[in-house]
Amino acid sequence: MDKNMVFNKFGDHYVADDMTFLMGIDLRFTDHLASRMKDCVVLETCTGGGFSTISLAKYTKHVYGGDNVTLIQPPFISLREFEHLPSHECESLYLNGRHELRCLHFGKLARFIGNSEFRV
């Protein structure tokens, strides 16, 4: 990975490697999240860079909107912030042991109500 390419594309505050440079997010995360939405109708709110759209297009019926939602949050937000929300699954995503994201799955996307983990 050419560090100058990372700096020129994202700035010096962004850590990127071969898995995140092109899309801005590790494709193993986007494929994992999109596979949970198999055959669903979904809303993709970050289509400008294509971050998750390619993975969603592989798995979902249609990418625009629907009743089932996954909210992706940084891990530093307190779980207390989510207590007022409807029932959901709170999934923590780890990359090489580091907590990268927290996903709140609602509706049919929640496999169960409570906490879960996915590790890469």
Side-chain angles (χ1 to χ4, degrees):
M1 171 60 51
D2 182 344
K3 300 295 182 190
N4 288 325
M5 290 176 63
V6 174
F7 177 78
N8 290 334
K9 184 170 182 175
F10 299 109
D12 63 353
H13 64 281
Y14 187 84
V15 177
D17 58 23
D18 291 328
M19 294 299 291
T20 61
F21 181 71
L22 293 177
M23 301 293 286
I25 186 172
D26 193 301
L27 296 178
R28 294 172 291 186
F29 283 159
T30 59
D31 276 347
H32 167 72
L33 294 172
S35 71
R36 294 178 69 114
M37 302 171 201
K38 185 172 176 58
D39 298 326
C40 289
V41 174
V42 298
L43 171 65
E44 165 62 295
T45 60
C46 298
T47 57
F51 295 95
S52 305
T53 309
I54 293 170
S55 293
L56 288 170
K58 288 192 292 187
Y59 292 96
T60 64
K61 283 185 180 181
H62 198 84
V63 181
Y64 67 84
D67 296 331
N68 303 302
V69 176
T70 291
L71 300 176
I72 301 173
Q73 302 291 317
F76 58 81
I77 295 178
S78 170
L79 291 174
R80 290 181 140 175
E81 296 291 327
F82 310 132
E83 290 176 350
H84 69 285
L85 298 174
S87 297
H88 60 276
E89 177 185 354
C90 181
E91 181 180 36
S92 293
L93 302 179
Y94 293 86
L95 180 62
N96 298 325
R98 192 172 115 191
H99 194 187
E100 295 284 334
L101 300 169
R102 182 174 285 130
C103 300
L104 307 177
H105 304 289
F106 296 88
K108 293 178 184 176
L109 301 179
R111 293 188 177 151
F112 63 91
I113 304 306
N115 297 323
S116 65
E117 292 182 354
F118 176 73
R119 293 180 180 270
V120 175

